[in-house]
Amino acid sequence: MRGLREYDFAAGIHLYRYKEQNILLDVNTGAIHLLDELAYHLVEKLAVLQGDWERALAELEAEFPAEEIAEAAQEIEDAWRNGSLFSEFAVPVVELSRLSVKALCLNMAHSCNMKCSYCFASQGNFGLRPALMSLETAQKALDFLLEQSGERQNLEVDFFGGEPLLVFPVIKDLVAYAREREKETGKRFSFTLTTNCLLLNEEVQDFVIDHGIGVIMSLDGRKETHDRHRLLNNGQGSYELVLPKIQEMLTKEPVSYYVRGTFTRDNLDFSEDLRHMLELGFTCVSLEPAVGADNPLAISRDDLPRVLKEYDRLTDILLEYRESGQDIHFFHYNLDLQKGPCLAKRVTGCGAGIEYLVVTPEGDLYPCHQFVGEPRFYMGNIENGEIAHSVRRIFEDNQLIKKECRHCWARYFCGGGCHAGAYFQGDISKPHEVSCIMHKKRIEGAIYLDLLKNLPPG
C-alpha cells in the first residue's frame, strides 16, 4: 500500500464510532464499511501515520494476534484494490450555466395570520411592503417557468409565504391554469403547499387531495414547545387550532406530506418534540434549527454540545420506531446512500439562483426565499422574462472546488451547504459553521441507521 503515502486521509475517508458500530465512509465513492475493532484501529493508524503501512501493522502487534492482523490487512487492501476504499480525491466541476430553471417558489403572500417569534421572514413580509399575489402575476410566473425550463418536462411549483392560503382562490385558479398549459406544452407541474394550517379547512384539504398537491404543515412538537413561539395575532398559542387540521388532512392521505417543526435555543430537548409528533401518528416529519444572523433564538455555537447529544437521542428514537415495525421518514436522515444526490447538488448544495427561483407578489425574482429583499440578489421581474445573469453567475461559480470545504468528508452530502446561511454569516463561499457541524452529525446518524437496517438479524 505504498500509494497511500500521498493520500489525503482527511478528505478521502471518514472513520467514526457511532454507538456500538465502527463505521468507515469512502468519501469519493460513497462506499460504507462496517469494521471490527482490529480493522478500525488499523485504518486509524494508517491515517495518523500518513499511510505508513509497515509502522501501522507493527504498532498493532502488541494488541492483536499476528494472524488476525494479516487477515484484517488483506481485507482492507482488497477494498482499496477494488476501488471502494482510499479512492482518489476528485472534486468535479459542473457547467451549471447549461442548467435551465425547473422550480419556482411562489411567495403568494407577503403577509401572515400568525406572529411566530422566530420567523426569518419578518412575520411574513420579508421586510418588504405587505402584499398578496394576484392571479395575473401568478399566471405570468408559470408562463415564465415554462419559457425558462428548456427541455425539462417535469416542473415544480411551491406555494409559500407568509401564509399562502390567504390567497387560496388565486391558488385554485392557478392550478387550473397550469393544467391547461400542461395540455398545450406537454409538460407537467407538481405542486407543494407550505402552510401554518390555520386556514387548512375542508375545502382546502379536498382541493389538495383532488389535485395531488404535496403539503408541508407546521407543528413544532409538544404543545408547550409549539405555543411558545407559534403565536396567533392576539398572542395566544396555536397548537389546539392547528393540530386537528393536520390530523384531518392526513386522514385524506395526501400524495406527500411533511409535518415540519422548528427547534430553537428554548427547546434543545427537541428529540422529545420528535417523539411527540411520532406518538401523534405522523410518519413524515422534519425538525429544522432556527436560523438568522440576528435571530436570538437561532442555534449558536454555544448550544452545539447539547444539540449534538440531542441528535444522538433523536437517532435512538428513530431506531426504536423502526424496530417496532414503523416506517418513519425524518427529513434530514433521508439520504440516498446508494445513489446519492445528483451531480449538481453534490458540487453546489442546491439549485438556488440556477434551477430554483423565488417570485414575490410583485413578480420580482430572487435566488431563494432567504434572499428575498436583498438588493444584491435581485434577479429581475417576470414582467420582462429576463434573469440577471450577473447574479446567477454568483451561484454558478459557488461550487465546492472553490470552497475550503472541498476537503471535508461531508462535502458530497451538502455540496458546501446553504448559500444563504453562508452569506448571512459573512461570505457566501464559506459554509455556515454551526449548520455545518449539525449536518455532519445528522449524516453520521443517518449512515448508522442505514447500516443497521441492512444488517442480518441478531
Side-chain angles (χ1 to χ4, degrees), residues 31 49 130 152 161 179 186 232 247 255 294-295 311 330 334 339 345 361 372 386 419:
L49 298 172
R152 296 183 185 274
R179 298 308 180 214
L232 304 172
Q247 292 171 322
V255 63
D294 301 319
N295 185 351
Y311 273 119
F330 182 67
N334 283 353
K339 295 181 180 178
K345 287 188 176 181
V372 168
E386 297 180 0
H419 302 288

Side-chain angles (χ1 to χ4, degrees), residues 115-360:
K115 291 185 177 180
C116 302
S117 50
Y118 52 59
C119 181
F120 72 89
S122 302
Q123 272 64 56
N125 64 20
F126 292 83
L128 304 173
R129 180 178 63 85
L132 303 176
M133 185 176 288
S134 68
L135 178 59
E136 179 184 9
T137 298
Q139 289 174 334
K140 287 181 179 179
L142 254 64
D143 293 339
F144 170 83
L145 177 56
L146 287 167
E147 293 164 4
Q148 295 290 331
S149 61
E151 299 300 315
R152 296 183 185 274
Q153 294 299 303
N154 297 308
L155 308 178
E156 303 165 16
V157 175
D158 300 330
F159 297 123
F160 200 71
E163 175 48 51
L165 289 180
L166 290 172
V167 288
F168 177 56
V170 175
I171 291 174
K172 288 176 62 178
D173 290 343
L174 183 63
V175 171
Y177 178 76
R179 298 308 180 214
E180 290 302 315
R181 294 305 318 268
E182 286 176 338
K183 297 173 186 176
E184 298 168 8
T185 63
K187 299 195 176 190
R188 178 70 183 170
F189 290 101
S190 62
F191 294 97
T192 303
L193 168 70
T194 299
T195 176
N196 62 30
C197 302
L198 286 181
L199 300 176
L200 192 62
N201 57 31
E202 186 174 0
E203 180 189 5
V204 176
Q205 293 171 22
D206 290 343
F207 180 80
V208 165
I209 298 301
D210 292 344
H211 294 274
I213 296 173
V215 60
I216 300 171
M217 300 168 287
S218 295
L219 184 80
D220 282 355
R222 296 162 293 179
K223 184 179 188 301
E224 60 270 26
T225 300
H226 182 95
D227 283 348
R228 185 180 294 124
H229 296 299
R230 296 197 65 79
L231 306 175
L232 304 172
N233 286 328
N234 64 7
Q236 298 298 307
S238 58
Y239 180 92
E240 298 292 350
L241 291 176
V242 303
L243 178 58
K245 295 179 184 295
I246 295 173
Q247 292 171 322
E248 290 167 9
M249 182 75 256
L250 294 186
T251 63
K252 300 182 179 182
E253 299 183 353
V255 63
S256 68
Y257 83 90
Y258 268 95
V259 177
R260 182 197 184 281
T262 298
F263 69 88
T264 73
R265 304 189 75 187
D266 287 340
N267 65 307
L268 295 180
D269 59 344
F270 56 88
S271 71
E272 292 306 312
D273 293 298
L274 171 71
R275 184 183 292 278
H276 179 74
M277 290 193 279
L278 299 182
E279 289 173 346
L280 289 169
F282 305 147
T283 57
C284 297
V285 294
S286 171
L287 278 174
E288 310 286 338
V291 298
D294 301 319
N295 185 351
L297 295 170
I299 303 303
S300 72
R301 187 172 184 83
D302 291 341
D303 301 317
L304 283 176
R306 287 188 62 187
V307 168
L308 299 185
K309 288 181 180 178
E310 198 62 17
Y311 273 119
D312 285 335
R313 297 187 184 98
L314 183 148
T315 302
D316 288 341
I317 292 171
L318 293 174
L319 180 59
E320 172 189 329
Y321 271 78
R322 176 192 290 168
E323 290 178 340
S324 72
Q326 299 184 61
D327 189 17
I328 303 298
H329 300 275
F330 182 67
F331 180 76
H332 282 298
Y333 279 33
N334 283 353
L335 305 177
D336 188 337
L337 297 174
Q338 281 67 51
K339 295 181 180 178
C342 68
L343 184 58
K345 287 188 176 181
R346 282 165 65 90
V347 302
T348 190
C350 73
I354 304 169
E355 298 178 292
Y356 172 91
L357 302 173
V358 170
V359 183
T360 71

Side-chain angles (χ1 to χ4, degrees), residues 1 25 36 38 50 118 134 168 206 219 286 369 375 387-388 435 444:
M1 291 189 121
L25 166 71
D36 61 20
L38 171 53
Q50 194 50 51
Y118 52 59
S134 68
F168 177 56
D206 290 343
L219 184 80
S286 171
H369 57 275
I387 297 174
S435 297
E444 289 184 340

Side-chain angles (χ1 to χ4, degrees), residues 13-14 317 438:
I13 64 170
H14 180 52
I317 292 171
M438 287 190 289

Side-chain angles (χ1 to χ4, degrees), residues 32 41 59 102 136 232 307:
I32 298 168
H41 282 294
E59 290 190 9
K102 71 174 182 180
E136 179 184 9
L232 304 172
V307 168

